Amino acid sequence: MAYRLLPLNDLLVNRANDRHGELENETAAIAWLFNSKEDHMKALARDIVDAGEIYEPLLVSPINGKFVVFDGNRRLTCLKVLKEPNKAPNKNLQSYFSSLKEKKNFVFPDRFMCQVETDRDRVDDILFRRHTGNQSGVGQSNWDDRMKANFVNRTGKGNAVSVADEVEQRLVAANMAPKHRKLPRSTMNRLLSSEAFRNRVGFSVSRGKFEYTHQEDVVLRALQRIANDLARRETVLGDIWDVDGKRAYLDKLEADGLLPTVKDSLTKHKDFGSVDSTKKSEDDVNSKKAKAASVSVSKPSRRVNLIARTDYGIAWPGRLQRHRAIWEELQFHLVLPDHSNAVSVLFRVLLDLSIENYISQNELTVGANDKLSLRALRIAEDLHAKKKIDHKYLGEIKKFQHADRLISADTLHRYVHSPDFAPSPDHLVALWDTLATFIVCCLKS
């Protein structure tokens, strides 16, 4: 542990703060804090100005010549906006911080005391023991369930199962463990901290125990490569710190032919679950009728929200912050019978953004003026070529171009632009159930 006085310009608000998960940059993180906790932020800023200091050192870790804050992001945000009120996300807040700074005659310090930790595991251990009591926003705010889940998904800490321990036991039993080198368990847990990444390697711990989802020998070969890369320090914590880093590493393994494929799957149909457990047998029958695909989504018949409250296995990088926000509104907040117009418009926006994400991430060549249906078809053909969807589902996307069908691009267009075309909850559900696999594939790219 070391304490240092650091200049404000060297301190960065954490874009991957566990309060919100990964966002695109520091500006987005600042905006999220104000949008979500405006009253708390104003109270905290007023307290800092009244006291003329912050009482607790910021917890920071060095990254690329700067210091990212892991505890104290609200304090740092207030300090940055007090120094430069135009950093606030709207005019009212800019005015508030300007008047607060002038009224209190605040003398801005040049440097701030920080607790500097170079060991990320120690940072996470410190975070794990903090966050009790918020004192109306002046003290530290408690993490809610979503924030705790972000922490667990990012670090792997708090899981009922230690992934690294489970992996090491199986590698040792198969005589495939790294020789004469210690496996960095914390780095392994961080890499495989979410089901989305564990499933790519071929196993799951979603039910509190380690289970293979693909052929054991194939999975063990992939895990052996990962263990060797980590043990030899060919891949280190900084390489897999965020979602994009984890995905890039696994993409490399996939390109090298080391990750399991659909043909290695033990369960050919991934069932994300129905909201009605009594329909399990019916869902089982339906799933047997479906062709095997690497991504498949069940189709529950009755839902309150457009997107079923099940795990679709998406790891959300910071660049998809708006996609995630729209997804969560459609999955948790907007009720179909009451908000059909809002749901229909956001559904279309989510589809558009998902398509743009796939095109960008895969450098797919499409015409600048191509219609939505043609862009969707180009992506579906690419997914089919990569064995991400089967031929039958490719046919469904081809039909999406036909304006005379209910499930079509024309229907979505009318939901947004037609004054006479009223969205129906049942039709919206049918559209989602048809396009869910396509959208999930686009967001996973």
Side-chain angles (χ1 to χ4, degrees):
M1 181 189 302
Y3 286 91
R4 293 172 57 185
L5 284 168
L6 297 174
L8 188 64
N9 288 340
D10 285 354
L11 302 174
L12 296 177
V13 176
N14 193 339
R15 71 175 184 87
N17 187 344
D18 293 305
R19 292 183 187 277
H20 46 62
E22 284 191 31
L23 299 178
E24 189 167 7
N25 50 39
E26 182 186 57
T27 300
I30 290 174
W32 188 95
L33 287 170
F34 278 110
N35 291 336
S36 302
K37 295 180 173 293
E38 180 174 325
D39 290 341
H40 283 194
M41 297 297 289
K42 290 165 72 174
L44 178 55
R46 189 167 56 250
D47 180 73
I48 290 173
V49 171
D50 288 341
E53 61 177 312
I54 57 174
Y55 287 101
E56 294 183 68
L58 305 174
L59 176 63
V60 305
S61 188
I63 297 178
N64 297 327
K66 297 284 188 178
F67 294 86
V68 174
V69 173
F70 284 84
D71 197 33
N73 281 282
R74 293 194 308 123
R75 280 167 277 160
L76 177 60
T77 296
C78 287
L79 290 170
K80 289 202 169 199
V81 178
L82 280 168
K83 184 175 183 180
E84 298 180 64
N86 63 343
K87 287 183 177 289
N90 60 58
K91 294 293 185 182
N92 288 338
L93 283 169
Q94 290 172 10
S95 176
Y96 175 83
F97 274 82
S98 294
S99 61
L100 184 63
K101 181 179 178 181
E102 295 170 2
K103 182 177 179 181
K104 297 294 183 179
N105 195 26
F106 182 52
V107 179
F108 206 87
D110 293 328
R111 294 171 178 268
F112 296 90
M113 183 61 70
C114 298
Q115 179 183 345
V116 181
E117 298 289 349
T118 57
D119 185 341
R120 299 283 179 79
D121 291 325
R122 178 171 171 78
V123 169
D124 290 335
D125 286 338
I126 293 170
L127 291 175
F128 194 67
R129 289 162 175 78
R130 292 187 179 177
H131 299 280
T132 56
N134 59 52
Q135 302 174 38
S136 300
V138 175
Q140 290 182 311
S141 294
N142 290 336
W143 284 351
D144 61 23
D145 290 342
R146 188 67 58 80
M147 297 169 186
K148 292 174 184 175
N150 285 334
F151 178 84
V152 171
N153 284 333
R154 179 176 64 83
T155 66
K157 289 182 178 290
N159 274 322
V161 176
S162 169
V163 172
D165 288 347
E166 294 287 339
V167 168
E168 187 172 44
Q169 289 172 18
R170 284 159 178 77
L171 290 177
V172 169
N175 197 29
M176 299 171 72
K179 303 295 184 183
H180 312 298
R181 291 178 183 270
K182 185 178 180 181
L183 177 67
R185 287 179 174 80
S186 60
T187 308
M188 173 75 80
N189 280 331
R190 189 181 301 275
L191 171 64
L192 302 173
S193 58
S194 73
E195 278 291 284
F197 296 125
R198 294 192 284 260
N199 292 164
R200 287 191 67 182
V201 179
F203 70 94
S204 169
V205 294
S206 63
R207 296 171 183 169
K209 63 178 182 179
F210 186 104
E211 293 180 331
Y212 288 107
T213 59
H214 292 71
Q215 295 293 335
E216 181 177 347
D217 59 332
V218 179
V219 178
L220 285 175
R221 284 199 297 273
L223 291 172
Q224 182 185 37
R225 169 62 180 272
I226 293 171
N228 284 332
D229 284 351
L230 299 183
R232 295 169 183 162
R233 302 298 190 269
E234 293 176 9
T235 299
V236 297
L237 187 61
D239 298 325
I240 56 170
W241 179 249
D242 58 10
V243 169
D244 280 330
K246 295 173 185 178
R247 179 176 287 156
Y249 174 72
L250 293 177
D251 285 347
K252 181 178 181 298
L253 296 187
E254 184 175 39
D256 291 343
L258 292 168
L259 295 186
T261 63
V262 176
K263 67 181 179 61
D264 304 310
S265 177
L266 298 177
T267 54
K268 293 295 184 184
H269 177 76
K270 169 76 182 217
D271 183 6
F272 285 100
S274 170
V275 292
D276 186 355
S277 60
T278 63
K279 301 212 175 271
K280 182 176 180 181
S281 60
E282 179 181 340
D283 289 343
D284 288 344
V285 171
N286 290 335
S287 69
K288 290 177 182 178
K289 294 179 181 178
K291 294 289 185 181
S294 63
V295 180
S296 183
V297 181
S298 61
K299 301 180 179 181
S301 57
R302 300 180 64 186
R303 289 198 293 273
V304 174
N305 311 104
L306 179 69
I307 302 178
R309 296 191 179 190
T310 53
D311 183 4
Y312 287 80
I314 302 171
W316 297 99
R319 59 187 161 77
L320 297 184
Q321 63 186 75
R322 191 178 180 215
H323 308 60
R324 183 181 187 181
I326 293 172
W327 178 284
E328 291 183 350
E329 287 184 37
L330 293 173
Q331 188 173 35
F332 298 109
H333 303 300
L334 294 175
V335 178
L336 274 169
D338 299 332
H339 307 117
S340 294
N341 286 299
V343 169
S344 64
V345 173
L346 278 185
F347 183 10
R348 170 60 189 267
V349 173
L350 179 63
L351 178 61
D352 284 341
L353 292 177
S354 301
I355 285 174
E356 289 303 319
N357 178 66
Y358 189 92
I359 292 171
S360 172
Q361 292 302 305
N362 292 274
E363 299 181 351
L364 196 64
T365 301
V366 295
N369 298 317
D370 284 353
K371 292 182 178 180
L372 172 69
S373 57
L374 184 57
R375 294 159 80 85
L377 178 58
R378 292 288 176 266
I379 291 173
E381 290 171 342
D382 192 58
L383 289 169
H384 181 253
K386 294 175 179 175
K387 302 187 186 310
K388 299 292 186 181
I389 61 174
D390 60 22
H391 185 72
K392 181 179 179 181
Y393 192 67
L394 174 61
E396 287 292 320
I397 302 301
K398 286 182 178 178
K399 295 175 185 177
F400 190 58
Q401 299 181 85
H402 301 161
D404 58 340
R405 300 181 76 242
L406 173 64
I407 298 174
S408 66
D410 182 68
T411 298
L412 279 172
H413 183 78
R414 287 201 229 172
Y415 278 158
V416 176
H417 298 287
S418 172
D420 304 316
F421 199 79
S424 157
D426 289 339
H427 292 167
L428 285 167
V429 168
L431 265 169
W432 171 259
D433 287 345
T434 299
L435 295 175
T437 295
F438 177 78
I439 291 174
V440 169
C441 284
C442 289
L443 291 173
K444 285 185 172 182
S445 295

